[in-house]
Each structure stands twice: as C-alpha cells, then as structure tokens.
PDB file of all heavy atoms in Angstrom:
ATOM      1  N   VAL A 270      -3.000  -7.424   8.658  1.00 90.00           N
ATOM      2  CA  VAL A 270      -1.605  -7.851   8.674  1.00 90.00           C
ATOM      3  C   VAL A 270      -0.837  -7.110   9.772  1.00 90.00           C
ATOM      4  O   VAL A 270       0.076  -7.666  10.388  1.00 90.00           O
ATOM      5  CB  VAL A 270      -0.961  -7.630   7.292  1.00 90.00           C
ATOM      6  CG1 VAL A 270       0.536  -7.917   7.324  1.00 90.00           C
ATOM      7  CG2 VAL A 270      -1.632  -8.518   6.255  1.00 90.00           C
ATOM      8  N   ALA A 271      -1.210  -5.859  10.048  1.00 89.00           N
ATOM      9  CA  ALA A 271      -0.557  -5.126  11.131  1.00 89.00           C
ATOM     10  C   ALA A 271      -0.827  -5.778  12.478  1.00 89.00           C
ATOM     11  O   ALA A 271       0.074  -5.863  13.333  1.00 89.00           O
ATOM     12  CB  ALA A 271      -1.038  -3.677  11.137  1.00 89.00           C
ATOM     13  N   ILE A 272      -2.063  -6.249  12.707  1.00 89.00           N
ATOM     14  CA  ILE A 272      -2.367  -6.954  13.953  1.00 89.00           C
ATOM     15  C   ILE A 272      -1.542  -8.233  14.048  1.00 89.00           C
ATOM     16  O   ILE A 272      -0.982  -8.565  15.115  1.00 89.00           O
ATOM     17  CB  ILE A 272      -3.872  -7.271  14.031  1.00 89.00           C
ATOM     18  CG1 ILE A 272      -4.691  -5.973  14.039  1.00 89.00           C
ATOM     19  CG2 ILE A 272      -4.186  -8.109  15.268  1.00 89.00           C
ATOM     20  CD1 ILE A 272      -4.457  -5.089  15.222  1.00 89.00           C
ATOM     21  N   LEU A 273      -1.446  -8.958  12.919  1.00 88.00           N
ATOM     22  CA  LEU A 273      -0.648 -10.178  12.907  1.00 88.00           C
ATOM     23  C   LEU A 273       0.826  -9.883  13.142  1.00 88.00           C
ATOM     24  O   LEU A 273       1.499 -10.591  13.905  1.00 88.00           O
ATOM     25  CB  LEU A 273      -0.850 -10.898  11.574  1.00 88.00           C
ATOM     26  CG  LEU A 273      -0.081 -12.212  11.383  1.00 88.00           C
ATOM     27  CD1 LEU A 273      -0.510 -13.244  12.418  1.00 88.00           C
ATOM     28  CD2 LEU A 273      -0.286 -12.747   9.967  1.00 88.00           C
ATOM     29  N   ALA A 274       1.334  -8.816  12.509  1.00 86.00           N
ATOM     30  CA  ALA A 274       2.750  -8.469  12.686  1.00 86.00           C
ATOM     31  C   ALA A 274       3.022  -7.979  14.107  1.00 86.00           C
ATOM     32  O   ALA A 274       4.115  -8.197  14.644  1.00 86.00           O
ATOM     33  CB  ALA A 274       3.146  -7.392  11.675  1.00 86.00           C
ATOM     34  N   ASP A 275       2.036  -7.348  14.726  1.00 83.00           N
ATOM     35  CA  ASP A 275       2.224  -6.924  16.115  1.00 83.00           C
ATOM     36  C   ASP A 275       2.271  -8.140  17.039  1.00 83.00           C
ATOM     37  O   ASP A 275       2.993  -8.142  18.036  1.00 83.00           O
ATOM     38  CB  ASP A 275       1.077  -6.002  16.515  1.00 83.00           C
ATOM     39  CG  ASP A 275       1.191  -5.516  17.952  1.00 83.00           C
ATOM     40  OD1 ASP A 275       2.063  -4.667  18.208  1.00 83.00           O
ATOM     41  OD2 ASP A 275       0.414  -6.001  18.800  1.00 83.00           O
ATOM     42  N   ARG A 276       1.497  -9.161  16.691  1.00 84.00           N
ATOM     43  CA  ARG A 276       1.492 -10.377  17.511  1.00 84.00           C
ATOM     44  C   ARG A 276       2.746 -11.198  17.267  1.00 84.00           C
ATOM     45  O   ARG A 276       3.264 -11.855  18.188  1.00 84.00           O
ATOM     46  CB  ARG A 276       0.248 -11.204  17.173  1.00 84.00           C
ATOM     47  CG  ARG A 276       0.055 -12.448  18.021  1.00 84.00           C
ATOM     48  CD  ARG A 276      -0.116 -12.098  19.464  1.00 84.00           C
ATOM     49  NE  ARG A 276      -0.479 -13.284  20.253  1.00 84.00           N
ATOM     50  CZ  ARG A 276      -0.305 -13.374  21.557  1.00 84.00           C
ATOM     51  NH1 ARG A 276       0.229 -12.353  22.228  1.00 84.00           N
ATOM     52  NH2 ARG A 276      -0.672 -14.464  22.221  1.00 84.00           N
ATOM     53  N   VAL A 277       3.259 -11.185  16.038  1.00 82.00           N
ATOM     54  CA  VAL A 277       4.463 -11.943  15.679  1.00 82.00           C
ATOM     55  C   VAL A 277       5.518 -10.920  15.252  1.00 82.00           C
ATOM     56  O   VAL A 277       5.569 -10.527  14.075  1.00 82.00           O
ATOM     57  CB  VAL A 277       4.172 -12.947  14.543  1.00 82.00           C
ATOM     58  CG1 VAL A 277       5.391 -13.815  14.268  1.00 82.00           C
ATOM     59  CG2 VAL A 277       2.951 -13.802  14.874  1.00 82.00           C
ATOM     60  N   PRO A 278       6.362 -10.441  16.155  1.00 77.00           N
ATOM     61  CA  PRO A 278       7.230  -9.281  15.867  1.00 77.00           C
ATOM     62  C   PRO A 278       8.151  -9.445  14.674  1.00 77.00           C
ATOM     63  O   PRO A 278       8.463  -8.467  13.994  1.00 77.00           O
ATOM     64  CB  PRO A 278       8.032  -9.122  17.174  1.00 77.00           C
ATOM     65  CG  PRO A 278       7.157  -9.733  18.228  1.00 77.00           C
ATOM     66  CD  PRO A 278       6.469 -10.872  17.544  1.00 77.00           C
ATOM     67  N   PHE A 279       8.620 -10.673  14.390  1.00 76.00           N
ATOM     68  CA  PHE A 279       9.575 -10.803  13.286  1.00 76.00           C
ATOM     69  C   PHE A 279       8.911 -10.463  11.949  1.00 76.00           C
ATOM     70  O   PHE A 279       9.591 -10.083  10.990  1.00 76.00           O
ATOM     71  CB  PHE A 279      10.193 -12.197  13.264  1.00 76.00           C
ATOM     72  CG  PHE A 279       9.317 -13.259  12.667  1.00 76.00           C
ATOM     73  CD1 PHE A 279       9.306 -13.494  11.301  1.00 76.00           C
ATOM     74  CD2 PHE A 279       8.493 -14.035  13.477  1.00 76.00           C
ATOM     75  CE1 PHE A 279       8.510 -14.475  10.757  1.00 76.00           C
ATOM     76  CE2 PHE A 279       7.691 -15.016  12.932  1.00 76.00           C
ATOM     77  CZ  PHE A 279       7.694 -15.237  11.570  1.00 76.00           C
ATOM     78  N   LEU A 280       7.571 -10.584  11.856  1.00 77.00           N
ATOM     79  CA  LEU A 280       6.882 -10.193  10.631  1.00 77.00           C
ATOM     80  C   LEU A 280       6.992  -8.688  10.396  1.00 77.00           C
ATOM     81  O   LEU A 280       7.150  -8.248   9.261  1.00 77.00           O
ATOM     82  CB  LEU A 280       5.412 -10.605  10.707  1.00 77.00           C
ATOM     83  CG  LEU A 280       5.095 -12.095  10.516  1.00 77.00           C
ATOM     84  CD1 LEU A 280       3.599 -12.326  10.658  1.00 77.00           C
ATOM     85  CD2 LEU A 280       5.588 -12.577   9.164  1.00 77.00           C
ATOM     86  N   ALA A 281       6.906  -7.916  11.466  1.00 72.00           N
ATOM     87  CA  ALA A 281       7.026  -6.461  11.330  1.00 72.00           C
ATOM     88  C   ALA A 281       8.408  -6.085  10.821  1.00 72.00           C
ATOM     89  O   ALA A 281       8.554  -5.225   9.942  1.00 72.00           O
ATOM     90  CB  ALA A 281       6.740  -5.786  12.661  1.00 72.00           C
ATOM     91  N   ARG A 282       9.437  -6.727  11.361  1.00 76.00           N
ATOM     92  CA  ARG A 282      10.797  -6.415  10.908  1.00 76.00           C
ATOM     93  C   ARG A 282      11.004  -6.801   9.451  1.00 76.00           C
ATOM     94  O   ARG A 282      11.817  -6.197   8.753  1.00 76.00           O
ATOM     95  CB  ARG A 282      11.812  -7.126  11.813  1.00 76.00           C
ATOM     96  CG  ARG A 282      11.849  -6.575  13.225  1.00 76.00           C
ATOM     97  CD  ARG A 282      13.061  -7.098  13.968  1.00 76.00           C
ATOM     98  NE  ARG A 282      12.955  -8.536  14.212  1.00 76.00           N
ATOM     99  CZ  ARG A 282      12.412  -9.076  15.298  1.00 76.00           C
ATOM    100  NH1 ARG A 282      11.890  -8.285  16.238  1.00 76.00           N
ATOM    101  NH2 ARG A 282      12.373 -10.376  15.457  1.00 76.00           N
ATOM    102  N   GLY A 283      10.271  -7.791   8.979  1.00 75.00           N
ATOM    103  CA  GLY A 283      10.418  -8.185   7.585  1.00 75.00           C
ATOM    104  C   GLY A 283       9.519  -7.409   6.638  1.00 75.00           C
ATOM    105  O   GLY A 283       9.881  -7.193   5.476  1.00 75.00           O
ATOM    106  N   LEU A 284       8.339  -6.975   7.115  1.00 74.00           N
ATOM    107  CA  LEU A 284       7.387  -6.306   6.231  1.00 74.00           C
ATOM    108  C   LEU A 284       7.686  -4.826   6.037  1.00 74.00           C
ATOM    109  O   LEU A 284       7.397  -4.275   4.975  1.00 74.00           O
ATOM    110  CB  LEU A 284       5.964  -6.467   6.789  1.00 74.00           C
ATOM    111  CG  LEU A 284       5.334  -7.856   6.630  1.00 74.00           C
ATOM    112  CD1 LEU A 284       4.012  -7.919   7.359  1.00 74.00           C
ATOM    113  CD2 LEU A 284       5.148  -8.199   5.169  1.00 74.00           C
ATOM    114  N   LEU A 285       8.231  -4.157   7.051  1.00 74.00           N
ATOM    115  CA  LEU A 285       8.460  -2.713   6.919  1.00 74.00           C
ATOM    116  C   LEU A 285       9.437  -2.379   5.794  1.00 74.00           C
ATOM    117  O   LEU A 285       9.187  -1.429   5.028  1.00 74.00           O
ATOM    118  CB  LEU A 285       8.936  -2.140   8.256  1.00 74.00           C
ATOM    119  CG  LEU A 285       7.865  -2.071   9.350  1.00 74.00           C
ATOM    120  CD1 LEU A 285       8.437  -1.481  10.637  1.00 74.00           C
ATOM    121  CD2 LEU A 285       6.668  -1.256   8.884  1.00 74.00           C
ATOM    122  N   PRO A 286      10.560  -3.091   5.633  1.00 77.00           N
ATOM    123  CA  PRO A 286      11.410  -2.801   4.456  1.00 77.00           C
ATOM    124  C   PRO A 286      10.686  -3.031   3.142  1.00 77.00           C
ATOM    125  O   PRO A 286      10.873  -2.284   2.177  1.00 77.00           O
ATOM    126  CB  PRO A 286      12.589  -3.767   4.624  1.00 77.00           C
ATOM    127  CG  PRO A 286      12.629  -4.053   6.082  1.00 77.00           C
ATOM    128  CD  PRO A 286      11.203  -4.069   6.525  1.00 77.00           C
ATOM    129  N   LEU A 287       9.830  -4.080   3.086  1.00 76.00           N
ATOM    130  CA  LEU A 287       9.058  -4.313   1.869  1.00 76.00           C
ATOM    131  C   LEU A 287       8.065  -3.175   1.631  1.00 76.00           C
ATOM    132  O   LEU A 287       7.792  -2.802   0.481  1.00 76.00           O
ATOM    133  CB  LEU A 287       8.307  -5.641   1.971  1.00 76.00           C
ATOM    134  CG  LEU A 287       9.173  -6.909   1.967  1.00 76.00           C
ATOM    135  CD1 LEU A 287       8.298  -8.147   2.130  1.00 76.00           C
ATOM    136  CD2 LEU A 287       9.983  -7.000   0.688  1.00 76.00           C
ATOM    137  N   GLY A 288       7.512  -2.634   2.734  1.00 72.00           N
ATOM    138  CA  GLY A 288       6.605  -1.505   2.588  1.00 72.00           C
ATOM    139  C   GLY A 288       7.294  -0.295   1.997  1.00 72.00           C
ATOM    140  O   GLY A 288       6.746   0.391   1.121  1.00 72.00           O
ATOM    141  N   ASN A 289       8.508  -0.007   2.458  1.00 73.00           N
ATOM    142  CA  ASN A 289       9.262   1.111   1.884  1.00 73.00           C
ATOM    143  C   ASN A 289       9.577   0.871   0.414  1.00 73.00           C
ATOM    144  O   ASN A 289       9.538   1.791  -0.411  1.00 73.00           O
ATOM    145  CB  ASN A 289      10.559   1.315   2.667  1.00 73.00           C
ATOM    146  CG  ASN A 289      10.308   1.754   4.094  1.00 73.00           C
ATOM    147  OD1 ASN A 289       9.313   2.423   4.371  1.00 73.00           O
ATOM    148  ND2 ASN A 289      11.180   1.361   5.011  1.00 73.00           N
ATOM    149  N   LEU A 290       9.876  -0.380   0.070  1.00 76.00           N
ATOM    150  CA  LEU A 290      10.168  -0.708  -1.322  1.00 76.00           C
ATOM    151  C   LEU A 290       8.924  -0.539  -2.186  1.00 76.00           C
ATOM    152  O   LEU A 290       8.979   0.032  -3.286  1.00 76.00           O
ATOM    153  CB  LEU A 290      10.694  -2.143  -1.421  1.00 76.00           C
ATOM    154  CG  LEU A 290      11.002  -2.665  -2.834  1.00 76.00           C
ATOM    155  CD1 LEU A 290      12.126  -1.856  -3.457  1.00 76.00           C
ATOM    156  CD2 LEU A 290      11.369  -4.150  -2.775  1.00 76.00           C
ATOM    157  N   ALA A 291       7.777  -1.022  -1.704  1.00 72.00           N
ATOM    158  CA  ALA A 291       6.540  -0.916  -2.481  1.00 72.00           C
ATOM    159  C   ALA A 291       6.107   0.530  -2.647  1.00 72.00           C
ATOM    160  O   ALA A 291       5.540   0.901  -3.677  1.00 72.00           O
ATOM    161  CB  ALA A 291       5.436  -1.728  -1.810  1.00 72.00           C
ATOM    162  N   SER A 292       6.361   1.352  -1.644  1.00 72.00           N
ATOM    163  CA  SER A 292       5.967   2.759  -1.740  1.00 72.00           C
ATOM    164  C   SER A 292       6.766   3.495  -2.803  1.00 72.00           C
ATOM    165  O   SER A 292       6.316   4.532  -3.306  1.00 72.00           O
ATOM    166  CB  SER A 292       6.150   3.445  -0.380  1.00 72.00           C
ATOM    167  OG  SER A 292       5.349   2.827   0.602  1.00 72.00           O
ATOM    168  N   ALA A 293       7.941   2.986  -3.129  1.00 75.00           N
ATOM    169  CA  ALA A 293       8.779   3.652  -4.135  1.00 75.00           C
ATOM    170  C   ALA A 293       8.434   3.236  -5.556  1.00 75.00           C
ATOM    171  O   ALA A 293       8.946   3.835  -6.510  1.00 75.00           O
ATOM    172  CB  ALA A 293      10.253   3.349  -3.869  1.00 75.00           C
ATOM    173  N   ILE A 294       7.577   2.228  -5.718  1.00 77.00           N
ATOM    174  CA  ILE A 294       7.207   1.779  -7.067  1.00 77.00           C
ATOM    175  C   ILE A 294       6.180   2.736  -7.644  1.00 77.00           C
ATOM    176  O   ILE A 294       5.135   2.973  -7.030  1.00 77.00           O
ATOM    177  CB  ILE A 294       6.622   0.354  -7.026  1.00 77.00           C
ATOM    178  CG1 ILE A 294       7.667  -0.621  -6.477  1.00 77.00           C
ATOM    179  CG2 ILE A 294       6.183  -0.078  -8.421  1.00 77.00           C
ATOM    180  CD1 ILE A 294       7.146  -2.033  -6.316  1.00 77.00           C
ATOM    181  N   PRO A 295       6.417   3.328  -8.802  1.00 79.00           N
ATOM    182  CA  PRO A 295       5.430   4.257  -9.382  1.00 79.00           C
ATOM    183  C   PRO A 295       4.188   3.522  -9.835  1.00 79.00           C
ATOM    184  O   PRO A 295       4.242   2.381 -10.312  1.00 79.00           O
ATOM    185  CB  PRO A 295       6.188   4.882 -10.560  1.00 79.00           C
ATOM    186  CG  PRO A 295       7.219   3.870 -10.927  1.00 79.00           C
ATOM    187  CD  PRO A 295       7.611   3.186  -9.643  1.00 79.00           C
ATOM    188  N   VAL A 296       3.041   4.200  -9.683  1.00 79.00           N
ATOM    189  CA  VAL A 296       1.778   3.564 -10.055  1.00 79.00           C
ATOM    190  C   VAL A 296       1.715   3.276 -11.544  1.00 79.00           C
ATOM    191  O   VAL A 296       1.087   2.304 -11.974  1.00 79.00           O
ATOM    192  CB  VAL A 296       0.602   4.458  -9.603  1.00 79.00           C
ATOM    193  CG1 VAL A 296       0.634   5.806 -10.295  1.00 79.00           C
ATOM    194  CG2 VAL A 296      -0.730   3.767  -9.849  1.00 79.00           C
ATOM    195  N   VAL A 297       2.384   4.102 -12.357  1.00 80.00           N
ATOM    196  CA  VAL A 297       2.380   3.842 -13.800  1.00 80.00           C
ATOM    197  C   VAL A 297       3.169   2.595 -14.150  1.00 80.00           C
ATOM    198  O   VAL A 297       3.066   2.076 -15.269  1.00 80.00           O
ATOM    199  CB  VAL A 297       2.952   5.052 -14.570  1.00 80.00           C
ATOM    200  CG1 VAL A 297       2.047   6.261 -14.424  1.00 80.00           C
ATOM    201  CG2 VAL A 297       4.363   5.380 -14.101  1.00 80.00           C
ATOM    202  N   GLY A 298       3.975   2.085 -13.193  1.00 80.00           N
ATOM    203  CA  GLY A 298       4.707   0.857 -13.444  1.00 80.00           C
ATOM    204  C   GLY A 298       3.892  -0.385 -13.130  1.00 80.00           C
ATOM    205  O   GLY A 298       3.993  -1.398 -13.828  1.00 80.00           O
ATOM    206  N   ILE A 299       3.061  -0.316 -12.079  1.00 84.00           N
ATOM    207  CA  ILE A 299       2.294  -1.500 -11.695  1.00 84.00           C
ATOM    208  C   ILE A 299       0.927  -1.550 -12.371  1.00 84.00           C
ATOM    209  O   ILE A 299       0.343  -2.629 -12.495  1.00 84.00           O
ATOM    210  CB  ILE A 299       2.117  -1.557 -10.163  1.00 84.00           C
ATOM    211  CG1 ILE A 299       1.356  -0.331  -9.655  1.00 84.00           C
ATOM    212  CG2 ILE A 299       3.461  -1.674  -9.479  1.00 84.00           C
ATOM    213  CD1 ILE A 299       1.015  -0.411  -8.187  1.00 84.00           C
ATOM    214  N   ALA A 300       0.409  -0.401 -12.819  1.00 84.00           N
ATOM    215  CA  ALA A 300      -0.934  -0.385 -13.403  1.00 84.00           C
ATOM    216  C   ALA A 300      -1.047  -1.270 -14.641  1.00 84.00           C
ATOM    217  O   ALA A 300      -1.975  -2.090 -14.737  1.00 84.00           O
ATOM    218  CB  ALA A 300      -1.354   1.049 -13.717  1.00 84.00           C
ATOM    219  N   PRO A 301      -0.136  -1.162 -15.631  1.00 85.00           N
ATOM    220  CA  PRO A 301      -0.283  -2.048 -16.802  1.00 85.00           C
ATOM    221  C   PRO A 301      -0.120  -3.523 -16.467  1.00 85.00           C
ATOM    222  O   PRO A 301      -0.748  -4.382 -17.096  1.00 85.00           O
ATOM    223  CB  PRO A 301       0.811  -1.561 -17.756  1.00 85.00           C
ATOM    224  CG  PRO A 301       1.777  -0.828 -16.902  1.00 85.00           C
ATOM    225  CD  PRO A 301       0.985  -0.231 -15.796  1.00 85.00           C
ATOM    226  N   ILE A 302       0.695  -3.817 -15.448  1.00 87.00           N
ATOM    227  CA  ILE A 302       0.858  -5.220 -15.047  1.00 87.00           C
ATOM    228  C   ILE A 302      -0.446  -5.750 -14.459  1.00 87.00           C
ATOM    229  O   ILE A 302      -0.879  -6.877 -14.769  1.00 87.00           O
ATOM    230  CB  ILE A 302       2.012  -5.347 -14.033  1.00 87.00           C
ATOM    231  CG1 ILE A 302       3.328  -4.929 -14.685  1.00 87.00           C
ATOM    232  CG2 ILE A 302       2.106  -6.759 -13.488  1.00 87.00           C
ATOM    233  CD1 ILE A 302       4.499  -4.891 -13.739  1.00 87.00           C
ATOM    234  N   MET A 303      -1.085  -4.952 -13.612  1.00 87.00           N
ATOM    235  CA  MET A 303      -2.347  -5.380 -13.016  1.00 87.00           C
ATOM    236  C   MET A 303      -3.444  -5.527 -14.067  1.00 87.00           C
ATOM    237  O   MET A 303      -4.309  -6.401 -13.955  1.00 87.00           O
ATOM    238  CB  MET A 303      -2.774  -4.380 -11.936  1.00 87.00           C
ATOM    239  CG  MET A 303      -1.843  -4.327 -10.743  1.00 87.00           C
ATOM    240  SD  MET A 303      -1.696  -5.945  -9.936  1.00 87.00           S
ATOM    241  CE  MET A 303      -0.403  -5.613  -8.742  1.00 87.00           C
ATOM    242  N   VAL A 304      -3.416  -4.682 -15.089  1.00 84.00           N
ATOM    243  CA  VAL A 304      -4.407  -4.805 -16.158  1.00 84.00           C
ATOM    244  C   VAL A 304      -4.210  -6.118 -16.911  1.00 84.00           C
ATOM    245  O   VAL A 304      -5.188  -6.797 -17.271  1.00 84.00           O
ATOM    246  CB  VAL A 304      -4.311  -3.598 -17.112  1.00 84.00           C
ATOM    247  CG1 VAL A 304      -5.154  -3.825 -18.359  1.00 84.00           C
ATOM    248  CG2 VAL A 304      -4.774  -2.329 -16.401  1.00 84.00           C
ATOM    249  N   MET A 305      -2.964  -6.506 -17.132  1.00 86.00           N
ATOM    250  CA  MET A 305      -2.701  -7.779 -17.808  1.00 86.00           C
ATOM    251  C   MET A 305      -3.084  -8.961 -16.928  1.00 86.00           C
ATOM    252  O   MET A 305      -3.527  -9.998 -17.412  1.00 86.00           O
ATOM    253  CB  MET A 305      -1.226  -7.858 -18.217  1.00 86.00           C
ATOM    254  CG  MET A 305      -0.851  -6.932 -19.372  1.00 86.00           C
ATOM    255  SD  MET A 305       0.817  -7.222 -19.978  1.00 86.00           S
ATOM    256  CE  MET A 305       1.792  -6.656 -18.582  1.00 86.00           C
ATOM    257  N   TRP A 306      -2.898  -8.827 -15.623  1.00 88.00           N
ATOM    258  CA  TRP A 306      -3.205  -9.926 -14.712  1.00 88.00           C
ATOM    259  C   TRP A 306      -4.710 -10.103 -14.491  1.00 88.00           C
ATOM    260  O   TRP A 306      -5.209 -11.221 -14.479  1.00 88.00           O
ATOM    261  CB  TRP A 306      -2.523  -9.697 -13.366  1.00 88.00           C
ATOM    262  CG  TRP A 306      -1.047  -9.977 -13.371  1.00 88.00           C
ATOM    263  CD1 TRP A 306      -0.283 -10.366 -14.432  1.00 88.00           C
ATOM    264  CD2 TRP A 306      -0.172  -9.873 -12.252  1.00 88.00           C
ATOM    265  NE1 TRP A 306       1.030 -10.498 -14.061  1.00 88.00           N
ATOM    266  CE2 TRP A 306       1.137 -10.210 -12.714  1.00 88.00           C
ATOM    267  CE3 TRP A 306      -0.321  -9.520 -10.920  1.00 88.00           C
ATOM    268  CZ2 TRP A 306       2.238 -10.212 -11.881  1.00 88.00           C
ATOM    269  CZ3 TRP A 306       0.784  -9.525 -10.079  1.00 88.00           C
ATOM    270  CH2 TRP A 306       2.053  -9.870 -10.563  1.00 88.00           C
ATOM    271  N   PHE A 307      -5.411  -8.996 -14.280  1.00 87.00           N
ATOM    272  CA  PHE A 307      -6.800  -9.065 -13.824  1.00 87.00           C
ATOM    273  C   PHE A 307      -7.814  -8.588 -14.866  1.00 87.00           C
ATOM    274  O   PHE A 307      -9.008  -8.577 -14.570  1.00 87.00           O
ATOM    275  CB  PHE A 307      -6.972  -8.246 -12.538  1.00 87.00           C
ATOM    276  CG  PHE A 307      -6.155  -8.752 -11.383  1.00 87.00           C
ATOM    277  CD1 PHE A 307      -4.949  -8.143 -11.049  1.00 87.00           C
ATOM    278  CD2 PHE A 307      -6.583  -9.837 -10.642  1.00 87.00           C
ATOM    279  CE1 PHE A 307      -4.194  -8.603  -9.983  1.00 87.00           C
ATOM    280  CE2 PHE A 307      -5.824 -10.307  -9.576  1.00 87.00           C
ATOM    281  CZ  PHE A 307      -4.623  -9.700  -9.245  1.00 87.00           C
ATOM    282  N   GLY A 308      -7.382  -8.170 -16.024  1.00 83.00           N
ATOM    283  CA  GLY A 308      -8.324  -7.765 -17.057  1.00 83.00           C
ATOM    284  C   GLY A 308      -8.624  -6.277 -17.025  1.00 83.00           C
ATOM    285  O   GLY A 308      -8.050  -5.517 -16.244  1.00 83.00           O
ATOM    286  N   PHE A 309      -9.565  -5.864 -17.879  1.00 82.00           N
ATOM    287  CA  PHE A 309      -9.842  -4.448 -18.074  1.00 82.00           C
ATOM    288  C   PHE A 309     -10.943  -3.910 -17.173  1.00 82.00           C
ATOM    289  O   PHE A 309     -11.194  -2.701 -17.176  1.00 82.00           O
ATOM    290  CB  PHE A 309     -10.234  -4.188 -19.540  1.00 82.00           C
ATOM    291  CG  PHE A 309      -9.108  -4.390 -20.504  1.00 82.00           C
ATOM    292  CD1 PHE A 309      -8.962  -5.598 -21.178  1.00 82.00           C
ATOM    293  CD2 PHE A 309      -8.182  -3.393 -20.734  1.00 82.00           C
ATOM    294  CE1 PHE A 309      -7.915  -5.791 -22.061  1.00 82.00           C
ATOM    295  CE2 PHE A 309      -7.137  -3.576 -21.623  1.00 82.00           C
ATOM    296  CZ  PHE A 309      -6.999  -4.786 -22.286  1.00 82.00           C
ATOM    297  N   ASP A 310     -11.617  -4.773 -16.425  1.00 84.00           N
ATOM    298  CA  ASP A 310     -12.719  -4.292 -15.604  1.00 84.00           C
ATOM    299  C   ASP A 310     -12.191  -3.780 -14.260  1.00 84.00           C
ATOM    300  O   ASP A 310     -10.988  -3.573 -14.085  1.00 84.00           O
ATOM    301  CB  ASP A 310     -13.747  -5.401 -15.411  1.00 84.00           C
ATOM    302  CG  ASP A 310     -15.150  -4.852 -15.211  1.00 84.00           C
ATOM    303  OD1 ASP A 310     -15.272  -3.635 -14.963  1.00 84.00           O
ATOM    304  OD2 ASP A 310     -16.119  -5.622 -15.302  1.00 84.00           O
ATOM    305  N   TRP A 311     -13.094  -3.624 -13.288  1.00 86.00           N
ATOM    306  CA  TRP A 311     -12.743  -2.981 -12.022  1.00 86.00           C
ATOM    307  C   TRP A 311     -11.716  -3.762 -11.217  1.00 86.00           C
ATOM    308  O   TRP A 311     -11.033  -3.191 -10.349  1.00 86.00           O
ATOM    309  CB  TRP A 311     -13.998  -2.785 -11.181  1.00 86.00           C
ATOM    310  CG  TRP A 311     -14.649  -4.065 -10.724  1.00 86.00           C
ATOM    311  CD1 TRP A 311     -15.639  -4.753 -11.350  1.00 86.00           C
ATOM    312  CD2 TRP A 311     -14.331  -4.802  -9.541  1.00 86.00           C
ATOM    313  NE1 TRP A 311     -15.963  -5.885 -10.642  1.00 86.00           N
ATOM    314  CE2 TRP A 311     -15.180  -5.942  -9.512  1.00 86.00           C
ATOM    315  CE3 TRP A 311     -13.417  -4.633  -8.505  1.00 86.00           C
ATOM    316  CZ2 TRP A 311     -15.138  -6.881  -8.501  1.00 86.00           C
ATOM    317  CZ3 TRP A 311     -13.377  -5.572  -7.477  1.00 86.00           C
ATOM    318  CH2 TRP A 311     -14.230  -6.681  -7.480  1.00 86.00           C
ATOM    319  N   GLN A 312     -11.568  -5.083 -11.482  1.00 88.00           N
ATOM    320  CA  GLN A 312     -10.657  -5.888 -10.674  1.00 88.00           C
ATOM    321  C   GLN A 312      -9.213  -5.395 -10.764  1.00 88.00           C
ATOM    322  O   GLN A 312      -8.495  -5.368  -9.755  1.00 88.00           O
ATOM    323  CB  GLN A 312     -10.733  -7.361 -11.100  1.00 88.00           C
ATOM    324  CG  GLN A 312     -12.042  -8.043 -10.776  1.00 88.00           C
ATOM    325  CD  GLN A 312     -13.099  -7.861 -11.851  1.00 88.00           C
ATOM    326  OE1 GLN A 312     -12.915  -7.054 -12.769  1.00 88.00           O
ATOM    327  NE2 GLN A 312     -14.180  -8.609 -11.756  1.00 88.00           N
ATOM    328  N   SER A 313      -8.780  -4.998 -11.964  1.00 88.00           N
ATOM    329  CA  SER A 313      -7.402  -4.526 -12.109  1.00 88.00           C
ATOM    330  C   SER A 313      -7.206  -3.185 -11.392  1.00 88.00           C
ATOM    331  O   SER A 313      -6.156  -2.939 -10.806  1.00 88.00           O
ATOM    332  CB  SER A 313      -7.054  -4.400 -13.590  1.00 88.00           C
ATOM    333  OG  SER A 313      -7.946  -3.529 -14.266  1.00 88.00           O
TER     334      SER A 313
END
C-alpha cells in the first residue's frame, strides 16, 4: 500500500491520518472483535 500511495499521492494524504488513528486503538479493544469475526483459531 505504501508503494501504491507513493505512486498516487492523494492516497498518502488520506491514509496517514487513518494510520495515526489506528495506532491509538488499544489492542484489547480490537482483539475481542477479531475473535468474534474470525473465530478462535489462528485467523483472529
């Protein structure tokens, strides 16, 4: 995605704020959601 965003600059301007937002999400908040989505095995 970084190669694609470098080729299409407006993607970089849109993805970097989302990256900062995602980095602030605690893992204990997304882990139970992923377990519900993908099950109890390695996929979650």
Side-chain angles (χ1 to χ4, degrees):
V270 173
I272 298 297
L273 180 62
D275 180 73
R276 184 62 172 159
V277 185
F279 79 86
L280 285 179
R282 292 192 292 269
L284 286 173
L285 289 180
L287 292 178
N289 295 330
L290 178 64
S292 300
I294 299 176
V296 62
V297 294
I299 61 173
I302 297 174
M303 295 301 173
V304 170
M305 289 188 292
W306 284 2
F307 298 100
F309 292 96
D310 209 346
W311 66 268
Q312 292 87 350
S313 57

